[in-house]
Coordinates of all heavy atoms in Angstrom, one line a residue:
M222 N 1.3 -9.4 2.0 CA 1.1 -9.5 3.4 C 2.1 -10.5 4.0 O 2.6 -10.2 5.1 CB -0.4 -10.0 3.5 CG -1.1 -9.5 4.7 SD -1.1 -7.8 5.0 CE -2.0 -7.8 6.5
Q223 N 2.4 -11.6 3.3 CA 3.3 -12.5 3.8 C 4.7 -11.9 4.1 O 5.3 -12.2 5.1 CB 3.5 -13.7 2.9 CG 2.4 -14.8 3.0 CD 2.3 -15.4 4.4 OE1 1.4 -15.1 5.1 NE2 3.3 -16.2 4.7
T224 N 5.1 -11.0 3.1 CA 6.4 -10.4 3.3 C 6.4 -9.5 4.5 O 7.4 -9.5 5.3 CB 6.7 -9.5 2.0 OG1 6.6 -10.3 0.9 CG2 8.0 -8.9 2.1
R225 N 5.3 -8.7 4.7 CA 5.3 -7.9 5.9 C 5.3 -8.7 7.2 O 6.0 -8.3 8.1 CB 4.0 -7.0 5.9 CG 3.9 -6.0 4.7 CD 5.2 -5.2 4.5 NE 5.6 -4.4 5.6 CZ 6.8 -4.0 5.8 NH1 7.8 -4.2 5.0 NH2 7.1 -3.2 6.8
L226 N 4.6 -9.8 7.2 CA 4.6 -10.6 8.4 C 6.0 -11.2 8.7 O 6.4 -11.3 9.9 CB 3.6 -11.8 8.3 CG 2.1 -11.4 8.3 CD1 1.3 -12.6 8.0 CD2 1.7 -10.8 9.6
A227 N 6.7 -11.5 7.6 CA 8.1 -12.0 7.8 C 9.0 -10.9 8.4 O 9.8 -11.2 9.3 CB 8.7 -12.5 6.5
V228 N 8.8 -9.7 8.0 CA 9.5 -8.5 8.5 C 9.2 -8.4 10.0 O 10.1 -8.2 10.8 CB 9.2 -7.2 7.7 CG1 9.8 -6.0 8.4 CG2 9.7 -7.3 6.3
Y229 N 7.9 -8.4 10.3 CA 7.5 -8.3 11.8 C 8.1 -9.4 12.6 O 8.6 -9.2 13.7 CB 6.0 -8.4 11.9 CG 5.2 -7.3 11.1 CD1 3.9 -7.6 10.8 CD2 5.8 -6.1 10.8 CE1 3.2 -6.6 10.1 CE2 5.1 -5.1 10.1 CZ 3.8 -5.4 9.7 OH 3.0 -4.5 9.0
R230 N 8.1 -10.7 12.1 CA 8.7 -11.8 12.8 C 10.2 -11.6 13.1 O 10.7 -11.8 14.2 CB 8.4 -13.1 12.1 CG 7.2 -13.9 12.6 CD 7.2 -15.3 12.0 NE 7.0 -15.3 10.8 CZ 6.1 -15.3 9.7 NH1 5.5 -15.4 9.6 NH2 5.9 -15.2 8.6
Q231 N 10.8 -11.2 12.0 CA 12.3 -10.9 12.1 C 12.6 -9.9 13.2 O 13.5 -10.0 14.0 CB 12.9 -10.6 10.8 CG 14.4 -10.4 10.8 CD 14.9 -10.0 9.4 OE1 14.2 -9.8 8.5 NE2 16.2 -9.8 9.4
L232 N 11.8 -8.8 13.1 CA 12.0 -7.7 14.1 C 11.8 -8.2 15.5 O 12.6 -7.9 16.4 CB 11.1 -6.5 13.8 CG 11.0 -5.4 14.8 CD1 12.4 -4.7 14.8 CD2 9.9 -4.4 14.5
L233 N 10.7 -8.9 15.7 CA 10.4 -9.4 17.1 C 11.4 -10.4 17.6 O 11.5 -10.6 18.8 CB 9.0 -10.0 17.1 CG 7.9 -8.9 16.9 CD1 6.5 -9.6 16.8 CD2 7.8 -7.9 18.1
S234 N 12.1 -11.1 16.7 CA 13.1 -12.1 17.1 C 14.5 -11.6 17.2 O 15.4 -12.3 17.6 CB 13.1 -13.2 16.0 OG 11.8 -13.8 15.9
D235 N 14.7 -10.3 16.9 CA 16.0 -9.7 17.0 C 16.4 -9.5 18.4 O 16.0 -8.5 19.1 CB 16.0 -8.4 16.2 CG 17.3 -7.7 16.0 OD1 18.3 -8.3 16.6 OD2 17.4 -6.7 15.3
D236 N 17.3 -10.3 18.9 CA 17.8 -10.2 20.3 C 18.9 -9.2 20.5 O 19.3 -8.9 21.6 CB 18.4 -11.6 20.7 CG 17.3 -12.6 20.9 OD1 16.1 -12.2 21.1 OD2 17.6 -13.8 20.7
T237 N 19.3 -8.5 19.4 CA 20.3 -7.4 19.5 C 19.6 -6.1 19.9 O 20.3 -5.2 20.3 CB 21.1 -7.2 18.2 OG1 20.2 -6.8 17.2 CG2 21.8 -8.5 17.8
M238 N 18.3 -6.1 19.8 CA 17.6 -4.8 20.2 C 16.9 -5.0 21.5 O 16.5 -6.1 21.9 CB 16.5 -4.5 19.1 CG 17.1 -4.2 17.8 SD 15.7 -4.0 16.5 CE 15.0 -2.5 17.1
L239 N 16.7 -3.9 22.2 CA 16.0 -4.0 23.5 C 14.5 -4.2 23.2 O 14.0 -3.9 22.1 CB 16.1 -2.6 24.2 CG 17.5 -2.2 24.7 CD1 17.5 -0.8 25.3 CD2 18.0 -3.2 25.8
L240 N 13.8 -4.8 24.1 CA 12.4 -5.0 23.9 C 11.6 -3.8 23.6 O 10.8 -3.8 22.7 CB 11.8 -5.7 25.2 CG 12.2 -7.1 25.5 CD1 11.6 -7.6 26.8 CD2 11.7 -8.1 24.3
S241 N 11.9 -2.7 24.3 CA 11.3 -1.4 24.0 C 11.6 -0.9 22.6 O 10.7 -0.4 22.0 CB 11.7 -0.4 25.1 OG 13.0 -0.1 25.0
E242 N 12.8 -1.1 22.1 CA 13.1 -0.7 20.8 C 12.3 -1.5 19.7 O 11.8 -0.9 18.8 CB 14.6 -0.9 20.5 CG 15.5 0.0 21.3 CD 17.0 -0.3 21.1 OE1 17.4 -1.5 21.1 OE2 17.8 0.7 20.9
R243 N 12.2 -2.8 20.0 CA 11.4 -3.6 19.1 C 10.0 -3.2 19.1 O 9.3 -3.2 18.0 CB 11.5 -5.1 19.5 CG 12.9 -5.7 19.2 CD 12.9 -7.2 19.4 NE 13.5 -7.4 20.7 CZ 13.6 -8.6 21.3 NH1 13.0 -9.6 20.8 NH2 14.2 -8.7 22.5
F244 N 9.4 -2.9 20.3 CA 8.0 -2.5 20.3 C 7.8 -1.2 19.5 O 6.9 -1.2 18.7 CB 7.7 -2.3 21.8 CG 6.3 -1.7 22.0 CD1 5.2 -2.4 21.9 CD2 6.2 -0.3 22.1 CE1 3.9 -1.9 22.0 CE2 4.9 0.3 22.2 CZ 3.8 -0.5 22.2
W245 N 8.6 -0.2 19.7 CA 8.4 1.1 19.1 C 8.7 1.0 17.6 O 8.0 1.6 16.8 CB 9.2 2.2 19.7 CG 8.7 2.5 21.1 CD1 9.3 2.3 22.3 CD2 7.4 3.0 21.4 NE1 8.5 2.7 23.3 CE2 7.3 3.1 22.8 CE3 6.3 3.4 20.6 CZ2 6.1 3.6 23.4 CZ3 5.2 4.0 21.2 CH2 5.1 4.0 22.6
K246 N 9.6 0.1 17.2 CA 9.9 -0.1 15.7 C 8.7 -0.8 15.1 O 8.2 -0.4 14.0 CB 11.2 -0.9 15.5 CG 11.5 -1.1 14.1 CD 11.8 0.1 13.4 CE 12.3 -0.2 11.9 NZ 12.4 1.0 11.1
L247 N 8.2 -1.8 15.8 CA 7.0 -2.5 15.2 C 5.8 -1.6 15.2 O 5.1 -1.5 14.2 CB 6.7 -3.7 16.1 CG 5.4 -4.5 15.7 CD1 5.6 -5.1 14.3 CD2 5.1 -5.6 16.7
N248 N 5.6 -0.7 16.2 CA 4.5 0.2 16.2 C 4.6 1.2 15.0 O 3.7 1.4 14.3 CB 4.5 1.0 17.5 CG 3.4 2.0 17.6 OD1 2.2 1.5 17.5 ND2 3.6 3.2 17.9
Q249 N 5.8 1.6 14.7 CA 6.1 2.5 13.6 C 5.8 1.8 12.2 O 5.1 2.4 11.4 CB 7.5 3.0 13.6 CG 7.9 3.8 12.4 CD 9.4 4.1 12.3 OE1 10.2 3.7 13.1 NE2 9.8 4.8 11.3
L250 N 6.2 0.6 12.1 CA 6.0 -0.2 10.9 C 4.5 -0.4 10.6 O 4.0 -0.3 9.5 CB 6.7 -1.5 10.9 CG 8.2 -1.5 10.8 CD1 8.8 -2.9 11.0 CD2 8.7 -0.9 9.5
L251 N 3.8 -0.8 11.7 CA 2.3 -1.0 11.6 C 1.6 0.3 11.2 O 0.7 0.2 10.3 CB 1.8 -1.5 12.9 CG 2.2 -3.0 13.3 CD1 1.8 -3.3 14.7 CD2 1.6 -3.9 12.3
K252 N 2.0 1.4 11.7 CA 1.4 2.7 11.3 C 1.6 3.0 9.9 O 0.7 3.4 9.2 CB 1.9 3.8 12.2 CG 1.3 4.0 13.5 CD 1.8 5.2 14.2 CE 1.2 5.4 15.6 NZ 1.7 6.6 16.3
E253 N 2.8 2.8 9.4 CA 3.1 3.0 8.0 C 2.4 2.0 7.1 O 1.8 2.4 6.1 CB 4.6 2.9 7.8 CG 5.4 4.0 8.4 CD 7.0 3.7 8.4 OE1 7.4 2.7 7.8 OE2 7.7 4.5 9.0
D254 N 2.3 0.8 7.5 CA 1.7 -0.3 6.6 C 0.2 -0.1 6.6 O -0.4 -0.4 5.6 CB 2.0 -1.7 7.1 CG 3.5 -2.0 6.9 OD1 4.1 -1.3 6.0 OD2 4.0 -3.0 7.5
K255 N -0.4 0.5 7.6 CA -1.9 0.7 7.6 C -2.3 1.6 6.4 O -3.4 1.6 5.9 CB -2.3 1.3 8.9 CG -2.4 0.3 10.0 CD -3.0 1.0 11.2 CE -2.9 0.1 12.4 NZ -3.4 0.8 13.7
Q256 N -1.3 2.5 6.0 CA -1.6 3.5 5.0 C -1.4 3.0 3.6 O -1.8 3.6 2.6 CB -0.8 4.7 5.2 CG -0.9 5.4 6.6 CD -2.4 5.8 6.9 OE1 -3.0 6.3 6.0 NE2 -2.9 5.4 8.1
K257 N -0.8 1.8 3.4 CA -0.5 1.3 2.1 C -1.7 0.5 1.6 O -2.4 -0.3 2.3 CB 0.7 0.3 2.2 CG 1.9 1.1 2.6 CD 3.1 0.1 2.7 CE 4.3 0.9 3.1 NZ 5.5 0.0 3.3
T258 N -2.0 0.7 0.3 CA -3.2 0.1 -0.3 C -3.0 -1.4 -0.4 O -4.0 -2.1 -0.4 CB -3.5 0.6 -1.7 OG1 -2.4 0.5 -2.5 CG2 -3.9 2.1 -1.6
G259 N -1.8 -1.9 -0.4 CA -1.6 -3.4 -0.4 C -2.1 -4.0 0.9 O -2.3 -5.2 0.9
V260 N -2.2 -3.3 1.9 CA -2.6 -3.8 3.3 C -4.0 -3.5 3.5 O -4.8 -4.3 4.0 CB -1.7 -3.1 4.4 CG1 -2.2 -3.6 5.7 CG2 -0.2 -3.5 4.2
Q261 N -4.4 -2.3 3.1 CA -5.8 -1.9 3.4 C -6.3 -0.9 2.4 O -5.5 0.0 1.9 CB -5.8 -1.2 4.8 CG -7.1 -0.4 5.1 CD -7.0 0.2 6.5 OE1 -6.6 -0.4 7.4 NE2 -7.5 1.4 6.6
V262 N -7.5 -1.0 1.9 CA -8.0 -0.1 0.9 C -9.3 0.5 1.5 O -10.2 -0.1 1.9 CB -8.3 -0.8 -0.4 CG1 -9.0 0.1 -1.4 CG2 -7.1 -1.4 -1.0
V263 N -9.3 1.9 1.5 CA -10.5 2.6 1.8 C -11.0 3.1 0.5 O -10.5 4.0 -0.2 CB -10.2 3.8 2.7 CG1 -11.5 4.6 3.0 CG2 -9.6 3.3 4.0
A264 N -12.0 2.4 0.0 CA -12.5 2.6 -1.4 C -13.6 3.7 -1.5 O -14.7 3.5 -1.9 CB -13.0 1.3 -2.0
S265 N -13.2 4.9 -1.1 CA -14.1 6.0 -1.3 C -13.9 6.6 -2.7 O -12.8 6.5 -3.3 CB -13.8 7.1 -0.2 OG -12.6 7.7 -0.4
R266 N -14.9 7.2 -3.2 CA -14.8 7.8 -4.6 C -13.7 8.9 -4.7 O -13.0 9.0 -5.7 CB -16.1 8.4 -5.0 CG -17.2 7.4 -5.3 CD -18.5 8.1 -5.8 NE -19.5 7.2 -6.0 CZ -19.8 6.6 -7.2 NH1 -19.1 6.9 -8.3 NH2 -20.8 5.8 -7.3
S267 N -13.5 9.6 -3.6 CA -12.5 10.7 -3.6 C -11.1 10.1 -3.7 O -10.2 10.8 -4.2 CB -12.7 11.6 -2.4 OG -12.4 10.8 -1.3
K268 N -10.9 8.9 -3.3 CA -9.6 8.3 -3.3 C -9.4 7.2 -4.4 O -8.4 6.6 -4.5 CB -9.2 7.7 -2.0 CG -9.1 8.7 -0.9 CD -8.6 8.1 0.4 CE -8.4 9.2 1.4 NZ -7.5 8.9 2.4
L269 N -10.4 7.0 -5.2 CA -10.4 6.0 -6.2 C -9.3 6.1 -7.2 O -8.6 5.1 -7.5 CB -11.8 5.9 -6.9 CG -12.0 4.7 -7.8 CD1 -11.8 3.4 -7.1 CD2 -13.3 4.8 -8.5
D270 N -9.0 7.3 -7.7 CA -8.0 7.5 -8.6 C -6.6 7.1 -8.0 O -5.8 6.5 -8.6 CB -7.9 8.9 -9.2 CG -7.8 10.0 -8.1 OD1 -8.0 9.7 -6.9 OD2 -7.4 11.1 -8.4
Q271 N -6.4 7.5 -6.8 CA -5.1 7.2 -6.1 C -5.0 5.7 -6.0 O -3.9 5.2 -6.2 CB -5.1 7.9 -4.7 CG -3.9 7.6 -4.0 CD -3.9 8.3 -2.6 OE1 -4.9 8.8 -2.2 NE2 -2.8 8.3 -1.9
I272 N -6.0 5.0 -5.6 CA -6.0 3.6 -5.4 C -5.7 2.9 -6.7 O -4.9 2.0 -6.7 CB -7.3 3.1 -4.7 CG1 -7.4 3.6 -3.3 CG2 -7.4 1.6 -4.7 CD1 -8.8 3.5 -2.7
L273 N -6.4 3.3 -7.7 CA -6.4 2.5 -9.0 C -5.0 2.6 -9.7 O -4.4 1.6 -10.0 CB -7.5 2.9 -9.9 CG -8.9 2.5 -9.4 CD1 -9.9 3.0 -10.3 CD2 -9.0 1.1 -9.1
L274 N -4.6 3.8 -10.0 CA -3.4 3.9 -10.8 C -2.2 4.4 -10.0 O -1.1 3.9 -10.2 CB -3.6 4.9 -12.0 CG -4.4 4.3 -13.1 CD1 -4.6 5.3 -14.2 CD2 -3.8 3.0 -13.7
Y275 N -2.4 5.4 -9.2 CA -1.2 6.1 -8.6 C -0.5 5.1 -7.6 O 0.8 5.2 -7.5 CB -1.6 7.3 -7.8 CG -2.1 8.4 -8.7 CD1 -3.3 9.1 -8.4 CD2 -1.5 8.7 -9.9 CE1 -3.7 10.1 -9.2 CE2 -1.9 9.7 -10.7 CZ -3.1 10.4 -10.4 OH -3.5 11.4 -11.2
E276 N -1.1 4.2 -7.0 CA -0.5 3.3 -6.1 C -0.4 1.9 -6.7 O 0.0 1.0 -6.0 CB -1.2 3.3 -4.7 CG -1.1 4.6 -4.0 CD -1.5 4.5 -2.5 OE1 -1.4 3.4 -2.0 OE2 -1.8 5.5 -2.0
G277 N -0.7 1.8 -7.9 CA -0.4 0.5 -8.6 C -1.4 -0.6 -8.4 O -1.2 -1.7 -8.7
A278 N -2.6 -0.3 -7.9 CA -3.6 -1.3 -7.7 C -4.0 -1.9 -9.0 O -4.3 -3.1 -9.2 CB -4.9 -0.8 -7.0
I279 N -4.1 -1.0 -10.1 CA -4.2 -1.5 -11.4 C -3.1 -0.8 -12.2 O -2.7 0.3 -11.9 CB -5.5 -1.3 -12.1 CG1 -5.9 0.2 -12.2 CG2 -6.6 -2.0 -11.3 CD1 -7.0 0.5 -13.1
T280 N -2.7 -1.4 -13.3 CA -1.7 -0.8 -14.2 C -2.3 -0.5 -15.6 O -3.4 -1.0 -15.8 CB -0.5 -1.7 -14.4 OG1 -0.9 -2.9 -15.0 CG2 0.2 -2.1 -13.0
K281 N -1.6 0.1 -16.4 CA -2.1 0.4 -17.8 C -2.3 -1.0 -18.5 O -3.2 -1.1 -19.3 CB -1.1 1.3 -18.5 CG -1.1 2.7 -18.0 CD 0.0 3.5 -18.8 CE 0.0 4.9 -18.2 NZ 1.0 5.7 -18.8
E282 N -1.4 -1.9 -18.2 CA -1.5 -3.3 -18.8 C -2.9 -3.9 -18.4 O -3.4 -4.7 -19.1 CB -0.4 -4.1 -18.4 CG 1.0 -3.7 -19.0 CD 1.6 -2.5 -18.4 OE1 1.5 -2.4 -17.1 OE2 2.2 -1.7 -19.1
D283 N -3.4 -3.6 -17.2 CA -4.6 -4.2 -16.8 C -5.8 -3.7 -17.6 O -6.9 -4.3 -17.6 CB -4.9 -3.9 -15.3 CG -3.9 -4.5 -14.4 OD1 -3.5 -5.6 -14.7 OD2 -3.6 -4.0 -13.3
L284 N -5.6 -2.6 -18.3 CA -6.7 -2.0 -19.1 C -6.8 -2.7 -20.5 O -7.7 -2.5 -21.2 CB -6.5 -0.5 -19.3 CG -6.5 0.3 -18.0 CD1 -6.2 1.8 -18.3 CD2 -7.9 0.2 -17.4
T285 N -5.8 -3.6 -20.8 CA -5.8 -4.4 -22.0 C -7.1 -5.2 -22.1 O -7.6 -5.8 -21.2 CB -4.6 -5.3 -22.1 OG1 -3.4 -4.6 -21.9 CG2 -4.6 -6.1 -23.4
G286 N -7.7 -5.1 -23.3 CA -9.0 -5.8 -23.5 C -10.2 -4.9 -23.4 O -11.3 -5.3 -23.9
F287 N -10.1 -3.8 -22.8 CA -11.2 -2.8 -22.8 C -11.1 -2.0 -24.1 O -10.1 -1.9 -24.8 CB -11.0 -1.9 -21.5 CG -11.3 -2.6 -20.3 CD1 -10.3 -3.1 -19.5 CD2 -12.6 -2.7 -19.8 CE1 -10.6 -3.7 -18.3 CE2 -12.9 -3.4 -18.6 CZ -11.9 -3.9 -17.8
S288 N -12.2 -1.4 -24.4 CA -12.3 -0.6 -25.6 C -11.2 0.5 -25.6 O -10.9 1.1 -24.5 CB -13.7 0.0 -25.8 OG -13.9 1.1 -24.9
D289 N -10.7 0.9 -26.8 CA -9.8 2.0 -26.9 C -10.3 3.3 -26.3 O -9.6 4.1 -25.7 CB -9.3 2.2 -28.4 CG -8.5 1.0 -28.9 OD1 -8.0 0.2 -28.1 OD2 -8.5 0.8 -30.1
E290 N -11.6 3.5 -26.5 CA -12.3 4.7 -26.1 C -12.2 4.7 -24.5 O -11.9 5.8 -23.9 CB -13.7 4.7 -26.5 CG -14.5 6.0 -26.1 CD -15.9 6.0 -26.5 OE1 -16.3 5.1 -27.4 OE2 -16.7 6.8 -26.0
L291 N -12.5 3.6 -23.9 CA -12.5 3.6 -22.4 C -11.1 3.8 -21.9 O -10.9 4.6 -20.9 CB -13.1 2.3 -21.9 CG -13.0 2.1 -20.4 CD1 -13.9 3.1 -19.7 CD2 -13.4 0.7 -20.0
V292 N -10.1 3.1 -22.5 CA -8.8 3.2 -22.0 C -8.3 4.7 -22.2 O -7.7 5.2 -21.2 CB -7.8 2.3 -22.8 CG1 -6.4 2.6 -22.5 CG2 -8.2 0.8 -22.5
A293 N -8.6 5.3 -23.3 CA -8.2 6.7 -23.5 C -8.9 7.6 -22.4 O -8.2 8.6 -21.9 CB -8.6 7.2 -24.9
Q294 N -10.1 7.4 -22.1 CA -10.8 8.2 -21.1 C -10.2 8.0 -19.7 O -10.0 9.0 -19.0 CB -12.3 7.8 -21.1 CG -13.1 8.3 -22.2 CD -14.5 7.9 -22.2 OE1 -14.9 7.0 -21.4 NE2 -15.4 8.4 -23.1
V295 N -9.9 6.8 -19.4 CA -9.3 6.5 -18.1 C -7.9 7.2 -18.0 O -7.6 7.9 -17.0 CB -9.2 5.0 -17.8 CG1 -8.3 4.7 -16.6 CG2 -10.5 4.4 -17.7
L296 N -7.1 7.0 -19.0 CA -5.8 7.6 -19.0 C -5.8 9.2 -19.0 O -5.0 9.8 -18.3 CB -4.9 7.1 -20.1 CG -4.6 5.6 -20.1 CD1 -3.8 5.2 -21.3 CD2 -3.9 5.2 -18.8
A297 N -6.8 9.7 -19.7 CA -6.9 11.2 -19.7 C -7.4 11.7 -18.4 O -6.9 12.7 -17.9 CB -8.0 11.6 -20.8
F298 N -8.2 10.9 -17.7 CA -8.7 11.3 -16.4 C -7.5 11.4 -15.4 O -7.3 12.3 -14.7 CB -9.7 10.3 -15.8 CG -10.1 10.5 -14.4 CD1 -10.9 11.6 -14.0 CD2 -9.6 9.7 -13.4 CE1 -11.2 11.8 -12.7 CE2 -9.9 9.9 -12.1 CZ -10.7 10.9 -11.7
F299 N -6.6 10.4 -15.5 CA -5.5 10.3 -14.5 C -4.4 11.3 -14.9 O -3.7 11.8 -14.0 CB -4.9 8.9 -14.4 CG -5.9 8.0 -13.6 CD1 -6.6 7.1 -14.3 CD2 -5.9 8.1 -12.3 CE1 -7.5 6.3 -13.6 CE2 -6.8 7.3 -11.5 CZ -7.6 6.4 -12.2
K300 N -4.3 11.7 -16.1 CA -3.3 12.8 -16.5 C -3.8 14.1 -16.0 O -3.0 15.0 -15.7 CB -3.1 12.8 -18.0 CG -2.3 11.6 -18.5 CD -2.1 11.7 -20.0 CE -1.3 10.5 -20.5 NZ -1.2 10.5 -21.9
S301 N -5.1 14.3 -16.0 CA -5.7 15.6 -15.6 C -5.8 15.8 -14.1 O -5.9 16.8 -13.6 CB -7.0 15.9 -16.2 OG -8.0 15.0 -15.7
S302 N -5.6 14.7 -13.4 CA -5.8 14.7 -11.9 C -4.5 15.1 -11.2 O -3.4 15.0 -11.6 CB -6.1 13.3 -11.3 OG -7.3 12.9 -11.9

């Protein structure tokens, strides 16, 4: 989040762009960022697989410490999706 705020600040401070250009560029960035799980997570069951592994909310390394059986089931689930 801090990184995104720095990008927004830099954009808004850019005097080489017209005010309207800055506004529309910021609007575009905000729309894109709203869809990223690092910014917002809609934790519905139908999107859980996407949130957990596909977008990197958890990694295979995060499964370390769980039983081999559980890890195998989780990985098999994501391979079949």
Side-chain angles (χ1 to χ4, degrees):
M222 214 49 186
Q223 278 301 105
T224 304
R225 297 311 302 157
L226 291 175
V228 170
Y229 301 154
R230 263 192 293 273
Q231 182 180 3
L232 174 65
L233 292 172
S234 302
D235 186 354
D236 292 332
T237 64
M238 296 174 70
L239 295 173
L240 290 173
S241 60
E242 291 175 318
R243 286 187 260 174
F244 171 82
W245 289 113
K246 180 66 177 174
L247 179 62
N248 187 51
Q249 176 188 359
L250 290 174
L251 288 170
K252 279 185 178 180
E253 291 170 5
D254 288 344
K255 284 181 189 179
Q256 302 304 314
K257 296 179 182 174
T258 57
V260 175
Q261 169 179 315
V262 173
V263 178
S265 66
R266 288 184 186 262
S267 63
K268 294 190 178 199
L269 188 59
D270 58 342
Q271 181 183 9
I272 292 167
L273 294 179
L274 285 179
Y275 296 133
E276 292 196 25
I279 65 167
T280 64
K281 292 178 184 177
E282 290 78 34
D283 292 329
L284 299 174
T285 304
F287 290 96
S288 71
D289 292 339
E290 180 182 349
L291 177 65
V292 171
Q294 288 176 350
V295 170
L296 295 178
F298 172 77
F299 286 105
K300 284 181 184 176
S301 68
S302 299

